[in-house]
Amino acid sequence: MATTRAIHDMSQSRKAAASGWIGSALEYYDFFIYATAASLIFPQIFFPSDNPTVAIVASLATYGVGYVARPIGAFVLGHWGDTHGRKTVLIVCMFLMGVSTMAVGLLPTYQQAGILAPILLVMLRLVQGFAVAGEISGASSMILEHAPFGRRGFYASFALQGVQAGQILAAAVFLPLAAYMPTEAFNSWGWRIPFLLSFFVIVAGYIIRREVDETPAFAREEKRGETPRAPIVQAIRLSWPDMLRVICMALMNVIPVVATIFGAAYAVQPAYGIGFAKDVYLWIPVLGNMLAVFVIPFVGHLSDKVGRKPPIIVGALLSGLLAFGYLYAISIRNVPLAILLSLLMWGVVYQGYNAIFPSFYPELFPTRTRVSAMAISQNIGTTITALLPALFATVAPPGSANIPLTVGAIAFGITVIAALAAVTARETYRVKIDDLGNPEAVPMARADYERQRAAAASRATALPT
């Protein structure tokens, strides 16, 4: 009986990790094809202007608009995840994201519909932002609550490995289109193809996520009648210091913003005069994400041994410093150096943060408010950083001097804030799952933790796959 139960638990652990990985990959494919298009093509087809700076700022601002909707989505979807379960909220997120992304691929351009075109684009971006707000918090909570003992960091990291894979897929779809399609055809209809492919997001996401059981931790809360009616109120009242820390740590989203959004506009847009080819520049985030896919589970596993805080602090500070070099490499038109520094900044060092937050954030909150608290605080932080591309383009517009220094200094200052927030947080990796979110919880003794962790790993290895 115990063996059968262990097999079922391990099967659900693996299904939850697979669901988080694939769901995040598919959903963030949708989110990042928009980000790529906002940098490379939308300034020309949705925001034509005699002033190229205005067009670039307007297009990048629509990227930020999606993040403006995220706190709203976090309140609604976080509430749903804490009152109705992790599984249902993830399916809702998938449907909303898939439908809104397909609709972007059907929009008329500014030349066809005038001001109505960017208005519809902004509305669909708002739906995207609303939907993605519940994805990482829901997926991280589901994986964490299904994970074997002592391996929460490793298992939860797969949610973010899926995000990186989604970014690879997004750029990989654009690469052949940008490289082989005539410019006129790409600007006319080729850019629509990646958005219309989101039909498969809806189908695949539903098939995958319906196979995962609700988590044992949520089921216990529900059975005891402890599911809160107002998890958001409880989260803010009881966990506001940790929510504030998560807001500050989530500002680390500045690094992918620098790498893929402002970096793309800086390198590709004619107004900046750098002159990177679109297809060449797109390889920079692709290669960085490809490396990140391998680094993330390694860092997640490391955090189960040394703790969550050290990788986050080191990753924040070093990636902030590397932002200077990355932008400088673009400014001197050195493609190999830009690729190398992207690999270091985003592919390796940033993953010290990126691989850990899917376990660290939900571990700071109790089961009854976990999805709400993480979703709200994380999305407030990322919303702030998503407004940065337009800020960067404003303070460092085409023709201005010292663009790498100006943008790099802002990015580094933000990463320092994130590192300080992690320093003040409590360590969570040796706290039992039922004690998570309790500031007074005492972590297990290291020797006991390592012994039980090794025993759990041995049982998992012995079970059939």
Side-chain angles (χ1 to χ4, degrees):
M1 182 67 178
T3 301
T4 301
R5 180 63 185 172
I7 292 173
H8 173 77
D9 289 346
M10 182 53 60
S11 173
Q12 283 298 307
S13 297
R14 292 166 178 166
K15 285 181 178 179
S19 168
W21 189 97
I22 297 174
S24 295
L26 293 173
E27 190 145 342
Y28 275 80
Y29 162 80
D30 284 356
F31 206 64
F32 282 100
I33 59 173
Y34 188 101
T36 305
S39 297
L40 301 183
I41 188 66
F42 285 177
Q44 288 77 35
I45 63 175
F46 284 107
F47 304 96
S49 173
D50 294 334
N51 186 333
T53 299
V54 171
I56 294 170
V57 171
S59 181
L60 293 181
T62 66
Y63 172 78
V65 162
Y67 282 87
V68 171
R70 288 178 67 158
I72 301 171
F75 276 90
V76 176
L77 298 172
H79 174 89
W80 190 270
D82 283 326
T83 56
H84 293 79
R86 294 25 171 161
K87 177 178 178 177
T88 55
V89 75
L90 290 176
I91 293 175
V92 169
C93 291
M94 186 71 69
F95 273 96
L96 286 173
M97 177 62 79
V99 171
S100 61
T101 303
M102 283 182 61
V104 172
L106 300 173
L107 284 180
T109 65
Y110 187 90
Q111 289 183 339
Q112 295 169 329
I115 193 65
L116 179 63
I119 291 174
L120 292 173
L121 182 68
V122 168
M123 291 175 62
L124 291 173
R125 183 61 174 170
L126 288 170
V127 177
Q128 276 194 327
F130 181 92
V132 81
E135 172 61 34
I136 291 300
S137 57
S140 298
S141 297
M142 173 170 277
I143 297 173
L144 184 87
E145 293 169 4
H146 271 300
F149 182 87
R151 304 197 74 193
R152 297 193 302 245
F154 174 72
Y155 271 72
S157 72
F158 283 96
L160 258 292
Q161 190 190 49
V163 170
Q164 307 306 124
Q167 294 182 62
I168 294 170
L169 183 60
V173 170
F174 269 93
L175 277 171
L177 296 175
Y180 299 113
M181 285 190 71
T183 301
E184 184 177 345
F186 179 74
N187 291 350
S188 175
W189 57 270
W191 66 269
R192 300 178 185 275
I193 295 173
F195 291 92
L196 297 177
L197 290 176
S198 292
F199 170 77
F200 297 102
V201 173
I202 303 172
V203 176
Y206 177 73
I207 292 173
I208 293 162
R209 288 189 159 165
R210 70 180 181 181
E211 296 297 322
V212 184
D213 293 344
E214 190 51 78
T215 70
F218 179 82
R220 288 195 295 269
E221 293 280 326
E222 197 171 38
K223 185 177 181 180
R224 292 194 295 259
E226 296 179 1
T227 304
R229 291 186 177 182
I232 297 169
V233 175
Q234 283 196 26
I236 294 173
R237 181 166 56 87
L238 301 176
S239 303
W240 69 264
D242 288 318
M243 292 179 70
L244 182 59
R245 291 185 178 95
V246 170
I247 290 172
C248 292
M249 285 187 282
L251 297 176
M252 278 300 298
N253 191 58
V254 67
I255 296 300
V257 164
V258 167
T260 62
I261 310 306
F262 179 78
Y266 183 37
V268 170
Q269 287 298 320
Y272 277 105
I274 301 298
F276 277 28
K278 291 180 181 179
D279 55 339
V280 171
Y281 179 77
L282 281 172
W283 278 107
I284 293 177
V286 169
L287 293 173
N289 278 314
M290 289 174 67
L291 182 57
V293 164
F294 294 98
V295 173
I296 284 173
F298 170 79
V299 178
H301 176 70
L302 179 66
S303 76
D304 286 328
K305 293 183 175 182
V306 304
R308 315 294 189 224
K309 293 171 60 173
I312 287 182
I313 295 167
V314 173
L317 296 176
L318 289 185
S319 60
L321 287 172
L322 285 168
F324 288 101
Y326 172 69
L327 293 170
Y328 174 74
I330 294 175
S331 74
I332 62 173
R333 301 175 175 84
N334 191 325
V335 175
L337 182 60
I339 292 175
L340 174 62
L341 290 175
S342 171
L343 292 176
L344 290 175
M345 177 186 71
W346 192 14
V348 178
V349 178
Y350 174 69
Q351 304 314 317
Y353 160 81
N354 205 38
I356 305 305
F357 87 76
S359 54
F360 191 40
Y361 288 2
E363 285 177 339
L364 291 172
F365 306 111
T367 301
R368 63 184 178 276
T369 61
R370 180 166 292 137
V371 181
S372 295
M374 177 179 173
I376 292 168
S377 48
Q378 183 206 0
N379 282 290
I380 289 174
T382 52
T383 296
I384 295 170
T385 59
L387 300 176
L388 289 174
L391 173 64
F392 291 157
T394 302
V395 301
S400 60
N402 299 320
I403 290 176
L405 183 61
T406 301
V407 176
I410 297 173
F412 179 65
I414 291 171
T415 62
V416 169
I417 293 172
L420 290 174
V423 169
T424 66
R426 62 187 178 278
E427 188 57 82
T428 56
Y429 77 112
R430 287 187 282 119
V431 176
K432 295 180 180 179
I433 192 162
D434 288 336
D435 294 330
L436 291 175
N438 178 7
E440 306 301 323
V442 178
M444 294 180 64
R446 184 177 295 274
D448 292 339
Y449 171 80
E450 292 295 345
R451 183 169 55 253
Q452 292 189 36
R453 182 171 177 270
S458 297
R459 289 194 298 270
T461 304
L463 294 174
T465 58

